[in-house]
């Protein structure tokens, strides 16, 4: 479906972007989905418990609970570069918060910096889902768009291919020097239920967002994949002091894209 067929809801045009792994990056409680029943709620609770147990150990899990009309499908995944302890903490928190944020709908999704969790009564496994998205972009433009975009395109191509490669845990990271003093960092991620082909297709859609054009930093978050690039390090191994100094003075604008 063409981008023009979606509504764009602009939040604050300029927000101070102070990154925190403890705060959600995006959330969806689909008000167009069915209302939960006592049996579905019970299945969701069981599903979330199983997702936490498995994902804390392996960094990724898909599972189902129930049968027929009460069956629930769930997926949880940590970012592939995130240490196990951070992954476990993130998933436990996400499983707790998703029920608070969406207590009575059968389609819920919650993104954090280090992990993602979702459930639905419809089977979404192995399918590209870009119907709902959240976009963040630095309000500042680069001074040399041609040179920057050439370097960005080459870097994102590499991270996209890495994310789609077998054994990658669904994530690709990379960096490239723009000058002696400036480095560009990028990350691509797919949910691990996607095939390599579908992963590349999802990332291509994310990379094609004109919202990011000529921006110093940008992030596109979909249910099946996400991309991000910045002029400061934000993935592991992480220079936390440098990342905090850079991100805490960065102003971003955000857009929510809905069907």
């Amino acid at each position: 479906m063409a981008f023009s067929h979606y509504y764009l809801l602009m939040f604050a045009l300029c927000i101070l972007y102070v990154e925190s792994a403890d705060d959600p990056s995006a959330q969806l409680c689909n008000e167009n989905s069915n209302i939960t029943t006592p049996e579905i709620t019970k299945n969701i609770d069981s599903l979330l418990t199983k997702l936490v147990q498995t994902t804390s150990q392996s960094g990724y899990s898909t599972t189902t609970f129930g049968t027929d009309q009460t069956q629930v499908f769930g997926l949880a995944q940590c970012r592939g570069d995130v240490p196990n302890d951070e992954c476990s903490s993130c998933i436990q928190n996400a499983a707790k918060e998703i029920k608070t944020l969406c207590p009575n709908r059968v389609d819920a999704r919650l993104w954090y910096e280090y992990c993602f969790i979702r459930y639905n009564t419809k089977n979404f496994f192995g399918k590209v889902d870009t119907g709902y998205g959240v976009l963040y972009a630095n309000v500042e433009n680069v001074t040399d768009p041609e040179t920057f975009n050439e370097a960005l395109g080459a870097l994102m191509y590499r991270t996209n291919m890495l994310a789609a490669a077998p054994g990658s845990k669904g994530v690709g990271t990379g960096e490239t020097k723009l000058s002696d003093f400036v480095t560009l960092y990028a990350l691509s991620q797919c949910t691990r239920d996607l095939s390599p082909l579908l992963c590349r297709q999802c990332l291509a859609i994310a990379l094609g967002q004109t919202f990011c054009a000529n921006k110093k930093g940008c992030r596109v978050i979909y249910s099946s994949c996400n991309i991000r690039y910045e002029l400061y390090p934000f993935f592991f191994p992480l220079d936390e002091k440098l990342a905090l100094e850079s991100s805490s003075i960065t102003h971003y604008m955000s857009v929510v894209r809905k069907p």
Side-chain angles (χ1 to χ4, degrees), residues 196-237:
L197 175 60
L198 292 180
C199 175
R200 292 193 298 270
Q201 289 178 353
C202 187
L203 292 171
I205 294 171
L207 190 58
Q209 284 292 344
T210 57
F211 182 75
C212 296
N214 302 329
K215 298 299 182 182
K216 287 186 175 181
C218 195
R219 188 176 183 186
V220 179
I221 303 172
Y222 289 133
S223 297
S224 294
C225 67
N226 64 85
I227 61 168
R228 182 179 180 185
Y229 68 86
E230 306 285 0
L231 293 176
Y232 58 85
F234 59 91
F235 49 79
F236 290 93

Side-chain angles (χ1 to χ4, degrees), residues 67-185:
T67 58
D68 300 327
Q69 299 302 313
T70 65
Q71 187 173 21
V72 182
F73 301 81
L75 179 150
Q77 180 172 322
C78 290
R79 213 174 68 191
D81 62 310
V82 173
N84 290 340
D85 57 339
E86 297 281 4
C87 172
S88 179
S89 176
C90 185
I91 285 297
Q92 290 181 50
N93 186 50
K96 176 183 176 181
E97 290 300 317
I98 196 169
K99 286 293 298 294
T100 302
L101 294 170
C102 196
N104 58 4
R105 295 289 177 175
V106 300
D107 180 9
R109 313 169 203 185
L110 185 59
W111 295 258
Y112 283 89
E113 182 66 19
Y114 294 160
C115 67
F116 167 61
I117 192 167
R118 71 178 293 191
Y119 57 79
N120 200 335
T121 51
K122 296 180 180 179
N123 186 353
F124 57 85
F125 297 159
K127 302 173 184 177
V128 173
D129 185 352
T130 57
Y132 173 88
V134 177
L135 290 67
Y136 296 95
N138 193 312
V139 297
E140 295 184 4
N141 290 333
V142 296
T143 56
D144 185 357
E146 184 176 354
T147 301
F148 180 86
N149 289 330
E150 182 178 357
L152 175 63
L155 178 58
M156 293 302 308
Y157 175 80
R158 295 200 303 272
T159 59
N160 284 2
M161 294 301 290
L162 286 172
S168 68
K169 297 183 179 180
V171 70
T173 61
E175 60 187 77
T176 188
K177 296 283 285 187
L178 300 181
S179 72
D180 290 339
F181 306 102
V182 180
T183 300
L184 178 62
Y185 302 85

